[in-house]
Amino acid sequence: MQAWILNVISEQRLSANIKANVVKTLLFIVCLLPLIYLVWGLLTDNLGANPVETLTRSSGLWALRFLLITLLVSPIRWYTGLTAIVKYRRMLGLYAFFYASVHMLLYLGLDQLFDIQDIWKDILKRPFITVGFISFILLLPLVMTSTNKMMKRLGGKRWKRLHRLTYVIATLSCVHFLMLVKADIREPIIYMILLSFLFSIRLFHSLNKKKLVSR
């Protein structure tokens, strides 16, 4: 009887792992679709009059979108009980960094031709470039500490504290986008509203948690 129960449990675990791997694979492909779309647009000459600008701006936008989606994972878990969703947060965060890296490389390579002096002058001269550069640099420690090994090494509390930088990065990214847009600011304002909403949810959850602890 005991052997049968253990066998059933192991089969259930195997089935759950297979499902999780299938979901991860599908999510990986879905997250890659924006890049595939942009590359296809470049190859078929469908990115408008200034394809470099389209590529640079679109990759930056997708970095911001993935940042916001990553920040949405915890609220979904808190208010729906879907704890399994946390398994996919790391991938979403890494995709945010991936698109931010594409955005940065396009700027450094196609816009500045990897000229260090010109890049440094541009960072100091144009505030929106300064803000964008700072937000990218702040992403690096989050990526470097995204593994389970680094989480254990830092400790849960310190790791969580460090990864709250995501909100700072998302805020700077929204400001970077707002400063970049010269005429129609509706889109960056929408992202700012979404980020403010996510801030509010986190604050509300934190206050509720403190109330429960103090009882």
Side-chain angles (χ1 to χ4, degrees):
M1 183 70 175
Q2 189 178 4
W4 178 79
I5 292 169
L6 289 171
N7 189 44
V8 169
I9 292 169
S10 64
E11 283 181 2
Q12 286 177 342
R13 283 178 181 170
L14 180 63
S15 177
N17 286 334
I18 290 169
K19 284 178 183 176
N21 288 334
V22 169
V23 172
K24 274 189 177 180
T25 303
L26 288 172
L27 182 61
F28 183 89
I29 294 166
V30 168
C31 291
L32 207 55
L33 287 177
L35 181 67
I36 293 169
Y37 174 79
L38 288 172
V39 171
W40 178 253
L42 183 65
L43 293 173
T44 55
D45 197 22
N46 277 324
L47 293 182
N50 193 339
V52 172
E53 185 184 346
T54 303
L55 283 169
T56 307
R57 184 172 291 198
S58 296
S59 56
L61 267 175
W62 278 107
L64 176 57
R65 286 165 185 161
F66 276 107
L67 271 174
L68 295 177
I69 293 167
T70 304
L71 290 171
L72 188 60
V73 170
S74 288
I76 290 172
R77 178 172 62 88
W78 296 333
Y79 297 109
T80 66
L82 293 170
T83 54
I85 197 171
V86 177
K87 294 177 185 176
Y88 313 111
R89 181 168 54 192
R90 183 186 300 167
M91 186 190 291
L92 292 167
L94 289 173
Y95 259 108
F97 176 70
F98 170 71
Y99 282 104
S101 299
V102 171
H103 180 66
M104 182 62 77
L105 284 170
L106 286 167
Y107 162 72
L108 296 175
L110 298 181
D111 193 26
Q112 297 296 323
L113 302 174
F114 295 108
D115 188 311
I116 302 299
Q117 285 188 333
D118 281 350
I119 291 165
W120 185 242
K121 284 177 185 176
D122 208 32
I123 290 169
L124 295 175
K125 185 180 176 182
R126 297 200 284 177
F128 85 92
I129 297 290
T130 311
V131 173
F133 188 75
I134 291 168
S135 63
F136 180 77
I137 294 298
L138 289 176
L139 269 173
L140 297 177
L142 303 191
V143 173
M144 290 187 286
T145 58
S146 64
T147 62
N148 291 332
K149 193 174 180 180
M150 284 303 298
M151 193 188 296
K152 286 177 183 177
R153 189 177 291 179
L154 284 171
K157 284 185 179 179
R158 279 195 296 174
W159 188 88
K160 282 181 181 178
R161 214 175 294 136
L162 174 65
H163 280 253
R164 282 176 192 151
L165 267 176
T166 310
Y167 277 96
V168 177
I169 295 161
T171 303
L172 289 173
S173 299
C174 286
V175 172
H176 170 69
F177 187 24
L178 182 64
M179 293 169 82
L180 172 68
V181 175
K182 293 172 183 175
D184 191 351
I185 62 168
R186 285 177 296 180
E187 193 174 1
I189 292 296
I190 288 168
Y191 287 109
M192 284 183 156
I193 291 167
L194 289 171
L195 182 60
S196 300
F197 177 67
L198 290 169
F199 265 125
S200 303
I201 291 173
R202 181 169 284 277
L203 182 62
F204 180 74
H205 178 76
S206 181
L207 291 172
N208 272 356
K209 209 173 178 181
K210 283 179 182 177
K211 282 181 185 177
L212 289 170
V213 170
S214 61
R215 281 178 186 175

